[in-house]
Amino acid sequence: MHFVSPRLSALALMIAASSAFAATPITKTIAVSEGTDMAVTVSPNHKTILMDVQGLLFTMPFAGGASKQITTPEQEASHPDWSPNGNFVAIQSYAGGTFHIWTMHPDGTDLKQITNGHGDDREPRISPDSKTIAFASDRSFKGSYDIWTVDVASGVLKQITSSEADEFEPAWSPDGSSLAFVSGSSITGKSIEAINLASGHQHTVASIDSTIGRLEAPSFSPDGAQIAYVRFSGVGLFMNTASLIVANASGDSAPTYIGKATDAFPFPATWLSKTELIYTGNGHILHTNLSAKTESSIPFTAVIESTRPQYAHKVYDFDSTAAHPVKGIYAPALSPDGKQAAFVALNQLYLMTIGSAPVALTHDTFYKQGPAWSPDGKRLAYVSDRDGIENIYLHDLAALDDSADRRVSPSQSAQIMPAWSPDGRLIAFQDQTGATLLTDVTTGAVKSLAPLTFFPGRPSFSTNGKTVAIATIKPYTKRFREGTSSILTVDVATGKTEFFSPAKFESITTRTEDGPIYAPNGKEIAFVMDDLLYTMPVDADGHPSGPASKLNDETTDAPTWSGDSRKILYLNNGTLKLLDVSSKVITLVPVELTFTRSKPEQKLLIHAARFWKGSGPGEQMDVDILITDNRVTSVTPHSATPPPGITRTIEAGDSTVMPGMWENHAHTDSDNSIYYGSRMGRLWLSYGVTEIRAIADNAYRALEHRESYDSGTAIGPRLFTTGEAVDGERVYYPMMIPTTSEAQLHREFDRLKALDFDFIKLYVRLPYSWAEQGIQYAHTRMGVETASHYLLPAVSLGEDGMSHVSATARTGWAYSRSLTGSSYSDVSKLLSQSGMWTISTTFSQSLYAEDPGMATDPRQAIAPPWENARLKVSVSGATKTDQTSALQHLKEEESVVSGVIRDGGLLLAGTDSPLDLPATSLHLNLRAQVKYGLAPWQALETVTVLPAKAYGLTKDLGTLDPGHLADLIIVSGDPLKNIDDAARVQCVMKNGQLQSVGVIMAPFAKSNIGNNICP
């Protein structure tokens, strides 16, 4: 990936082509005077400060005041260091999709890229003679970060360190003879080392016990006698404190000075003299006099442009019962004779003779997944939770129905993604830990094949049965989690594993159904890379033995082979295609399957003691709510005489009726969700969630679920979903698309549009210039929202929102929340004044201590046993360990939430479940908002009217005004007085269909919750 210009030509063309469909955005400026995780450097003459505020570089006079912006968002400049000769500034830039070292004039002009390649080059520091830049890099590709130098004039590189430790954040000694750097494992800096550049001799300058903290950001005093660094105290998601430390540079010694800021930011201090320095912390630029032991804040103002897009939102027809073509064709599998295909759609397992209509093999509301043909073509292995847990079942194709389908190896652990051995004796699969196992088809005996990996893809046997291949993550280093989705081969006899790349620096597109999958002829292996179909030659044992060859030029998912290896069946933007491998001829395979939205015909009356419409502090008492079909007709004072034509009356005499809740950040079809089966939708409903904003998921699994929920063939909330997140070259999660070219970028956007998704997620490693194209495409071509982990694109590039207050960032720090969990007024101003929305995902388990009964709630019987065990562990930790620090971090996040809401901003509640626990964590989120300052009605708005406002759905959802969709819950008690009552759900109505919680739970647990109200 190479940076061309801040505004790529493709973006300009897209905007021009679609300008008729989008109104002129609203722009404004927002002035900030504090900075979260900001860095500074100072000119050698001490007249000018150059600072990084929210990913933009600004300059201002040393005394402070108004600043001038000198870089653009797309340049992604950070970590600035001013050269000692004053002529240039070194930065790290992500402009081309990989971190590299750049230089520029101090006014931001004459940007020059100094390093290149696929390695990440970070944290530049300029030598005292201004000729060399030291930096940290993983460019050796040996699994760790090392210290390198580059000659500014020639670009010649030199590797300085090469240990197995992660070595980063270099700092020059004043005479240029040595470099100090941080050494550690992953992000934990255990020590600061110094290396003599001539002799290679290395010694420890400072160290810390990694169980109590970590070190970062060294810098030498001008005389070389002292060294400053940042010491973090604490472990876990957020540190407790971060302090500037000044100590003797000769070795481990007691600090001579400890900074007054308790939240020092992770950047090197700039020394002005041996007794003065500048550092950043607590939101300020701090001028420190070491002799006097004083610190003063240098005031500043930085003005950031805000752009709020104006576009027509996607139009939903929630009332139509017209037939829609099925696009959610999940995991299609071609029969060995190449004449039939099996797949999952509308929550059923289908068999289709090519050229004929598909026929359902199952007819129940349980989950289905992953059909796989036996080598002889007589049986299908597939996954279902009809007996409680996702297990592998066998279906005999000679049978008239599925009544005789049996589990291969009954288990209380999940079994997913089955794959047959060539002799039909074994099936490989994965469990909920990510381990790959083998089961004997005859005996049901199970044995381990490969240790757990992070969300691996479906396994595949080599033709001789000696090797199994899976797609799994191969991280570049421990410091940052991303890597490539590579091919891992496992020797069936010995368990020996070996990684192979589909191509250098490339990935299998997704670690789900995109291969690798062996050809039955034993000569090649197929997979999807760059969204296209490839094959790669393999040796007799199935190990890749040559470069990959491209077979098509269209977006591809889920390839499977015919038994003679002559044809490959695959998905292309919601359609099935059949490719002749030798001729490359592609044939459309029609799927004659439609669905209609499930919608009741009724006139239902609910008599409720209390009614809250979903906004504001007021509630109505003793009311009648009239539901006609799937919409609210009226809300009136209770009358003893019901309206004519009532078909059903519900007496909720001691309950509250309120809108069903939004879960604003979930992954319904990826991560741990793939092991829940049909339990997941029921679990969310039973806790009052009737709407879900799914953020990033396996595309066809998500689409299949949405169509199943809409048609009533599966039980779950109203699902607003999307496919995989669009990511950069390096990836981590299985549902992130590694994007390596603009052509692929647009294939991904076109795929999301073709599948009619509701959202585009732009992920951690996608550069802003490409994200900007995604924003424009989503708005002008799809009418849907976009979001990422980053604040600046949401403020300045027109992105709709941010999916967390803070989360994983490619920089290693976040501009929205410091490493100690604090956000400053720059964040709250940008969130509240820009018009963007933000989702608070607290990831805090502390409040389980206030309601440990959550772990034994009868509804938890819906969750798989391992997930219920996870909840019990969380409750135990909250009740038995000191939660002081965790509660403080929670309070800090909630201060942002409450402040933004009070200032008129859009803050929404979400969980990122199932990374956090589904359902219960949403209620903890609401309780935390109330605990730390909001009224219950304000907290509840973050799951009712505010999401509808954020997503342009206020005409149909968010409140129970007449004419709105009848998505509501009946809860015991009064949530506007006690927020805990929001979890006491008795009955749930989605699209007018009312069920008690007991009925929702019924397939997995016996309960009478709500049965007396909604029989």
Side-chain angles (χ1 to χ4, degrees):
M1 296 163 65
H2 302 285
F3 181 66
V4 177
S5 69
R7 307 277 174 173
L8 294 174
S9 57
L11 174 61
L13 290 171
M14 183 187 299
I15 295 172
S18 56
S19 59
F21 303 101
T24 302
I26 298 173
T27 60
K28 62 189 293 188
T29 57
I30 302 171
V32 301
S33 56
E34 289 187 330
T36 301
D37 274 346
M38 65 178 174
V40 299
T41 185
V42 180
S43 62
N45 62 13
H46 300 175
K47 292 183 177 181
T48 305
I49 291 175
L50 190 152
M51 57 185 180
D52 172 11
V53 179
Q54 290 297 329
L56 298 169
L57 298 187
F58 296 81
T59 57
M60 70 174 182
F62 185 84
S67 63
K68 178 183 178 182
Q69 181 181 327
I70 61 171
T71 61
T72 68
E74 296 91 346
Q75 289 166 341
E76 299 203 52
S78 62
H79 226 290
D81 188 43
W82 209 312
S83 64
N85 65 11
N87 293 338
F88 67 95
V89 173
I91 57 172
Q92 69 176 34
S93 171
Y94 194 73
T98 305
F99 281 106
H100 286 306
I101 308 306
W102 293 54
T103 61
M104 66 180 187
H105 287 164
D107 63 0
T109 61
D110 197 30
L111 272 163
K112 293 180 180 179
Q113 186 172 341
I114 304 300
T115 64
N116 53 54
H118 291 269
D120 272 344
D121 304 327
R122 302 171 183 257
E123 300 134 16
R125 300 299 298 278
I126 304 170
S127 62
D129 63 6
S130 300
K131 294 181 178 180
T132 307
I133 299 174
F135 61 95
S137 180
D138 63 4
R139 61 174 43 244
S140 65
F141 303 111
K142 294 182 179 179
S144 64
Y145 267 77
D146 303 303
I147 304 302
W148 291 68
T149 61
V150 60
D151 183 88
V152 175
S154 67
V156 172
L157 294 160
K158 182 178 181 180
Q159 186 170 355
I160 305 301
T161 67
S162 58
S163 77
E164 292 184 2
D166 282 304
E167 297 159 328
F168 50 96
E169 295 178 346
W172 291 92
S173 63
D175 62 4
S177 66
S178 64
L179 282 166
F181 58 89
V182 177
S183 177
S185 178
S186 184
I187 61 171
T188 303
K190 299 178 181 179
S191 65
I192 294 174
E193 304 290 321
I195 185 170
N196 185 284
L197 297 177
S199 67
H201 174 72
Q202 186 171 314
H203 71 277
T204 300
V205 177
S207 62
I208 192 171
D209 181 345
S210 61
T211 64
I212 63 171
R214 69 186 202 229
L215 306 179
E216 293 195 25
S219 63
F220 282 103
S221 62
D223 61 3
Q226 301 178 89
I227 192 166
Y229 56 89
V230 177
R231 182 178 67 195
F232 290 89
S233 298
V235 293
L237 186 61
F238 292 109
M239 300 290 102
N240 295 329
T241 61
S243 301
L244 174 76
I245 301 296
V246 179
N248 192 308
S250 60
D252 266 329
S253 61
T256 59
Y257 181 80
I258 299 177
K260 300 182 186 303
T262 57
D263 186 19
F265 299 148
F267 307 107
T270 299
W271 290 81
L272 306 175
S273 70
K274 65 180 182 179
T275 60
E276 287 183 277
L277 58 78
I278 297 256
Y279 76 103
T280 56
N282 290 13
H284 300 290
I285 303 170
L286 299 169
H287 185 183
T288 303
N289 187 304
L290 300 178
S291 299
K293 300 188 182 301
T294 59
E295 296 186 7
S296 59
S297 176
I298 298 176
F300 72 89
T301 301
V303 175
I304 297 174
E305 184 176 275
S306 167
T307 298
R308 192 57 22 221
Q310 305 296 303
Y311 61 96
H313 283 265
K314 178 179 177 179
V315 176
Y316 294 90
D317 186 349
F318 296 112
D319 301 301
S320 172
T321 56
H324 301 276
V326 167
K327 293 185 177 181
I329 303 168
Y330 180 45
L334 186 61
S335 62
D337 65 8
K339 296 179 180 180
Q340 294 179 298
F343 57 85
V344 173
L346 300 178
N347 203 39
Q348 306 304 336
L349 177 64
Y350 279 89
L351 181 65
M352 182 180 74
T353 298
I354 293 175
S356 300
V359 176
L361 300 179
T362 59
H363 304 275
D364 57 55
T365 61
F366 292 104
Y367 174 74
K368 322 294 183 308
Q369 186 254 5
W373 292 85
S374 63
D376 61 9
K378 294 180 179 181
R379 292 179 291 178
L380 280 173
Y382 69 99
V383 173
S384 173
D385 59 359
R386 60 193 275 182
D387 289 300
I389 301 294
E390 287 183 54
N391 276 190
I392 298 170
Y393 289 75
L394 293 183
H395 176 77
D396 189 328
L397 290 167
L400 297 177
D401 57 35
D402 64 340
S403 60
D405 292 3
R406 66 174 183 88
R407 285 190 282 179
V408 177
S409 180
S411 175
Q412 286 300 297
S413 291
Q415 301 168 346
I416 67 168
M417 295 186 178
W420 293 82
S421 64
D423 61 9
R425 297 173 58 190
L426 301 173
I427 292 177
F429 66 92
Q430 281 130 11
D431 68 7
Q432 73 273 6
T433 70
T436 302
L437 304 103
L438 295 174
T439 183
D440 187 292
V441 174
T442 302
T443 67
V446 174
K447 65 177 183 180
S448 177
L449 174 62
L452 64 91
T453 61
F454 188 69
F455 293 111
R458 185 195 285 267
S460 177
F461 277 92
S462 64
T463 302
N464 65 8
K466 293 183 178 181
T467 302
V468 167
I470 58 175
T472 193
I473 184 72
K474 185 183 181 185
Y476 280 101
T477 69
K478 296 184 291 294
R479 187 182 178 198
F480 294 94
R481 65 188 188 178
E482 292 86 3
T484 55
S485 291
S486 296
I487 299 168
L488 181 70
T489 61
V490 186
D491 187 293
V492 173
T494 66
K496 179 184 176 182
T497 60
E498 187 174 0
F499 271 109
F500 296 87
S501 296
K504 200 169 184 180
F505 307 115
E506 293 276 3
S507 289
I508 305 291
T509 296
T510 69
R511 300 197 307 274
T512 49
E513 304 284 349
D514 282 347
I517 181 168
Y518 286 104
N521 64 14
K523 297 180 180 180
E524 52 199 332
I525 195 168
F527 52 82
V528 181
M529 179 175 70
D530 297 332
D531 291 349
L532 307 177
L533 182 61
Y534 283 80
T535 57
M536 177 182 282
V538 297
D539 63 23
D541 289 330
H543 300 116
S545 59
S549 299
K550 182 162 62 76
L551 296 187
N552 69 359
D553 290 297
E554 63 181 11
T555 303
T556 300
D557 284 285
T560 59
W561 292 90
S562 61
D564 59 8
S565 303
R566 293 180 179 179
K567 296 180 179 180
I568 296 177
L569 182 75
Y570 62 90
L571 286 162
N572 166 241
N573 292 354
T575 62
L576 274 179
K577 300 284 184 72
L578 194 61
L579 172 111
D580 184 289
V581 176
S582 60
S583 69
K584 306 295 190 298
V585 172
I586 299 170
T587 305
L588 177 68
V589 179
V591 179
E592 298 174 14
L593 193 61
T594 62
F595 74 95
T596 59
R597 188 182 299 275
S598 178
K599 176 183 171 183
E601 293 183 1
Q602 63 181 356
K603 200 168 185 180
L604 185 148
L605 186 69
I606 303 174
H607 173 210
R610 291 168 295 276
F611 172 81
W612 183 62
K613 76 172 186 177
S615 65
E619 59 183 338
Q620 297 170 248
M621 303 297 178
D622 194 24
V623 298
D624 289 335
I625 304 114
L626 180 62
I627 311 295
T628 303
D629 300 338
N630 65 330
R631 291 191 178 263
V632 178
T633 302
S634 63
V635 180
T636 58
H638 175 59
S639 170
T641 304
I646 295 297
T647 58
R648 185 182 180 190
T649 299
I650 300 297
E651 288 291 342
D654 192 29
S655 301
T656 301
V657 171
M658 59 177 281
M661 291 178 280
W662 280 83
E663 159 60 275
N664 289 290
H665 187 143
H667 300 279
T668 57
D669 291 285
S670 57
D671 292 326
N672 296 334
S673 291
I674 63 178
Y675 311 114
Y676 269 77
S678 58
R679 293 170 178 264
M680 183 63 91
R682 295 175 184 272
L683 184 65
W684 267 310
L685 285 175
S686 72
Y687 280 85
V689 173
T690 57
E691 272 74 39
I692 290 182
R693 164 68 83 190
I695 293 287
D697 286 296
N698 173 265
Y700 288 93
R701 190 179 190 273
L703 195 55
E704 190 273 333
H705 253 141
R706 189 181 72 184
E707 291 175 350
S708 297
Y709 289 162
D710 284 351
S711 64
T713 56
I715 306 301
R718 193 183 298 273
L719 185 57
F720 296 88
T721 192
T722 189
E724 293 83 3
V726 184
D727 210 345
E729 181 177 281
R730 301 183 181 195
V731 293
Y732 179 62
Y733 286 105
M735 69 289 191
M736 309 303 173
I737 301 291
T739 311
T740 58
S741 69
E742 268 199 81
Q744 186 196 2
L745 182 74
H746 287 277
R747 281 195 294 270
E748 271 306 310
F749 297 154
D750 290 343
R751 174 177 177 260
L752 293 168
K753 181 178 185 293
L755 297 179
D756 193 30
F757 279 123
D758 307 301
F759 179 74
I760 292 182
K761 177 71 173 288
L762 305 169
Y763 206 55
V764 169
R765 296 277 305 195
L766 191 72
Y768 287 170
S769 57
W770 284 11
E772 195 168 9
Q773 294 188 52
I775 294 163
Q776 290 293 332
Y777 190 101
H779 294 168
T780 61
R781 303 285 298 278
M782 297 173 66
V784 302
E785 299 80 38
T786 66
S788 70
H789 284 193
Y790 301 124
L791 181 53
L792 185 61
V795 171
S796 296
L797 300 182
E799 197 165 52
D800 297 89
M802 192 163 59
S803 55
H804 308 262
V805 172
S806 70
T808 304
R810 53 180 171 250
T811 52
W813 72 88
Y815 291 108
S816 55
R817 199 173 184 190
S818 72
L819 294 176
T820 68
S822 297
S823 302
Y824 296 92
S825 63
D826 58 329
V827 174
S828 57
K829 276 190 172 184
L830 293 171
L831 292 181
S832 59
Q833 295 181 24
S834 67
M836 62 177 284
W837 48 259
T838 307
I839 303 170
S840 171
T841 55
T842 63
F843 282 101
S844 177
Q845 317 300 308
S846 299
L847 294 191
Y848 282 123
E850 297 180 4
D851 190 0
M854 277 189 158
T856 56
D857 188 298
R859 290 170 291 182
Q860 281 302 308
I862 307 174
W866 56 87
E867 288 292 89
N868 186 243
R870 185 162 69 113
L871 174 58
K872 290 178 179 177
V873 169
S874 295
V875 171
S876 176
T879 54
K880 296 179 180 179
T881 61
D882 183 7
Q883 297 295 299
T884 303
S885 175
L887 287 170
Q888 179 60 34
H889 293 317
L890 180 60
K891 182 179 181 180
E892 287 165 347
E893 174 150 348
E894 295 306 336
S895 70
V896 175
V897 172
S898 60
V900 171
I901 287 175
R902 286 174 180 142
D903 288 341
L906 282 171
L907 245 298
L908 317 176
T911 64
D912 206 359
S913 65
L915 294 181
D916 204 349
L917 286 153
T920 55
S921 55
L922 183 64
H923 286 280
L924 290 194
N925 190 319
L926 297 175
R927 295 176 187 186
Q929 292 180 42
V930 174
K931 181 180 179 72
Y932 294 111
L934 291 182
W937 68 269
Q938 291 174 305
L940 289 169
E941 282 194 339
T942 67
V943 292
T944 55
V945 68
L946 293 181
K949 181 179 179 181
Y951 310 143
L953 293 168
T954 53
K955 291 182 179 180
D956 294 291
L957 291 165
T959 62
L960 295 177
D961 289 306
H964 281 203
L965 289 166
D967 289 9
L968 59 82
I969 55 178
I970 301 173
V971 301
S972 296
D974 187 352
L976 267 65
K977 292 185 172 61
N978 180 1
I979 193 63
D980 293 7
D981 287 348
R984 298 173 63 193
V985 182
Q986 300 295 305
C987 304
V988 180
M989 177 180 283
K990 188 201 84 173
N991 205 43
Q993 296 173 330
L994 183 67
Q995 298 180 89
S996 69
V997 168
V999 168
I1000 293 169
M1001 295 171 59
F1004 300 106
K1006 291 183 178 180
S1007 173
N1008 60 3
I1009 298 175
N1011 288 352
N1012 61 325
I1013 299 174
C1014 306

